[in-house]
Amino acid sequence: MKDEEYLSLESNVRSYCRNFPVIFKSAKDSYLYDKDGKEYIDFLCGAGSLNYGHNNLQIKQKVIEYLNNDGIVHSLDLATTAKQEFLETFYALILQPRKLNYKIQFTGPTGTNAVEAALKIARKVTGRKQIISFTNAFHGVSLGALAVTGHSYYRKGSEGSLNNVTFMPYDSYLGDKVNTIDYLRRFLEDESSGIDLPAAIIVETIQGEGGVNVASNKWLQSLYELCNQLKILLIIDDIQVGCGRTGTFFSFEESHIIPHVVVLSKSLSGFGLPFAVLLLKPEIDIWKPGEHNGTFRGNNLAFVSATETLKQFWSIQKFEKEINERAKILKTALETIIKTHLSNGELRGKGLILGVDCKKPELAKQITNQSFQNGLILERCGSNDQVIKFLPPLVTSIDVIQKAMRIFEKSIPTGLLRL
Ligand SMILES: *Cc1c(COP(=O)(O)O)cnc(C)c1O
């Protein structure tokens, strides 16, 4: 079959492959290779699912060893040694050192399924229907998760009802002078505002798909305070920016809040395998057995890869330091490039999720297309796809970051098209 014929077998719903129209064959660390052997630096990073790069040798060896020993691949949610080792390791390396007391729920293996479970448990615990979400939020595309997702492009993809959600302005949505938590508080405290007290507020600390919008620590703290005061559950969707992306394992660590529910997925397996969990404060874990179920709850191969990932990267402090060193280099390089070539551009982000808001969608598209031609894969995000998102694997070497920056710089058009 010719390439074009093969491609048209897949539904029109395919998306990333349209922006990067080659056929990829292999991948290692921060690189992808197409079938003609051309190499690309991968700053798309599986939208944050490949924080440890492609095919990390030690993780891969553990998975292969497990398979070679006839380790159990599928077991519904039966207890397995792979699950036991994951739970023990996650407790010892992630929860205990951070003094976090959470129960761990395995949901279906996608982020959106874990979001569904989070919304369900919040409604079940509080007996309330409403959920509050924020402008530009992205939480997935199954019905419940879609209802708390802001972008009309995704919302229009469903004729189903997306009810019982109120959207409120995210941090800085109304400019720097408006404190959007004060705004939200006014609605929730006024019995006559027309907005029902919600079961939960769901939020990303940095909106990954929504344009790399960062909520300040102060904003998160005020939100947390408001939730505690009004007995609303706070759900942090850490699917994209958790697992080290911002420089700490959880993105909210610096703000010292303790969400009632945390959703993790994308990079949790460490190897790009499907895997999602909810972390629940013990007192809200009121599920009856199997009440939220799914055939693929807990993926044994992902348990194995995640356990090895945690041991390799999160048993030492060094990794957080490395992330922050790399982040500094990426940020400085982008600042210089913006100053020289994109005078109206705005840099946002934290740790190793950075966004360059080009203000003009056509310009962002032109730059990412040219970057791709030049061997660097970059995604666009934001309400009009006007933001170029830099999401390198956290293990990307400084050399590769610098090389990517040279490619990015030379992919910016000169002359009239410049901002
Ligand atoms: C990707 C993502 C989701 C959805 O996860 P899927 O595995 O694609 O269903 C939800 N929330 C955030 C913040 C995400 O980045």
Side-chain angles (χ1 to χ4, degrees), residues 135-136 168-176 178 180 207 213:
T135 49
N136 283 306
M168 282 285 163
Y170 192 69
D171 192 8
S172 298
Y173 187 75
L174 300 171
D176 291 343
V178 182
T180 56
Q207 296 181 319
N213 309 311

XYZ file of all heavy atoms in Angstrom, residues 135-136 168-176 178 180 207 213:
119
model
N -11.838 28.785 32.669
C -11.594 29.158 31.272
C -10.297 28.512 30.783
O -9.321 28.446 31.534
C -11.452 30.693 31.189
O -10.519 31.126 32.194
C -12.780 31.398 31.402
N -10.308 28.063 29.551
C -9.134 27.438 28.916
C -8.725 26.082 29.492
O -7.660 25.553 29.164
C -7.900 28.352 28.943
C -7.979 29.438 27.898
O -8.177 29.139 26.726
N -7.870 30.680 28.305
N -15.378 29.517 35.433
C -14.972 30.759 36.093
C -13.615 31.190 35.527
O -12.886 30.367 34.974
C -14.867 30.515 37.606
C -16.215 30.493 38.296
S -16.844 32.195 38.422
C -18.568 31.883 38.766
N -13.260 32.467 35.668
C -11.994 32.927 35.088
C -10.773 32.384 35.836
O -10.716 32.457 37.065
C -12.071 34.453 35.192
C -13.131 34.734 36.202
C -14.065 33.573 36.222
N -9.845 31.846 35.069
C -8.575 31.324 35.613
C -7.719 32.506 36.076
O -8.050 33.667 35.813
C -7.873 30.567 34.478
C -6.693 29.707 34.874
C -6.862 28.543 35.617
C -5.401 30.040 34.459
C -5.773 27.739 35.936
C -4.303 29.241 34.778
C -4.503 28.092 35.522
O -3.431 27.292 35.833
N -6.639 32.211 36.737
C -5.722 33.261 37.192
C -5.309 34.136 35.997
O -4.917 33.608 34.950
C -4.482 32.616 37.836
C -3.639 33.636 38.596
O -4.088 34.790 38.753
O -2.537 33.271 39.041
N -5.427 35.440 36.151
C -5.026 36.436 35.125
C -5.923 36.486 33.895
O -5.632 37.230 32.968
C -3.586 36.212 34.648
O -2.707 36.355 35.716
N -7.014 35.727 33.899
C -7.891 35.724 32.717
C -8.485 37.110 32.475
O -8.750 37.503 31.347
C -9.017 34.699 32.917
C -9.896 34.490 31.697
C -9.433 33.754 30.607
C -11.183 35.016 31.636
C -10.238 33.549 29.489
C -11.987 34.810 30.528
C -11.506 34.073 29.457
O -12.303 33.867 28.353
N -8.718 37.855 33.569
C -9.305 39.200 33.432
C -8.239 40.277 33.615
O -8.531 41.400 34.017
C -10.448 39.372 34.443
C -11.606 38.372 34.285
C -12.582 38.458 35.452
C -12.348 38.618 32.969
N -7.001 39.929 33.312
C -5.907 40.892 33.463
C -5.293 40.809 34.845
O -5.790 40.103 35.719
N -4.209 41.534 35.014
C -3.446 41.434 36.263
C -4.149 42.095 37.444
O -3.832 41.813 38.592
C -2.063 42.075 36.094
C -1.205 41.235 35.158
O -1.564 40.064 34.933
O -0.198 41.762 34.645
N -7.423 42.044 38.272
C -8.592 41.382 38.865
C -8.180 40.077 39.540
O -7.592 39.201 38.915
C -9.667 41.081 37.786
C -10.889 40.430 38.414
C -10.040 42.340 37.032
N -9.208 36.811 40.461
C -10.340 35.995 40.019
C -10.839 35.047 41.117
O -11.918 34.473 40.989
C -10.002 35.202 38.737
O -8.850 34.417 38.976
C -9.762 36.137 37.562
N -2.102 25.375 32.688
C -2.992 24.842 31.655
C -2.161 24.463 30.425
O -1.708 25.337 29.685
C -4.054 25.870 31.310
C -4.961 26.170 32.501
C -6.044 27.179 32.184
O -5.793 28.169 31.499
N -7.246 26.935 32.672
N -0.836 28.543 30.549
C -1.203 29.595 31.497
C -0.874 29.086 32.896
O -1.248 27.970 33.245
C -2.697 29.912 31.400
C -3.111 30.163 29.961
O -2.466 30.931 29.255
N -4.154 29.486 29.506
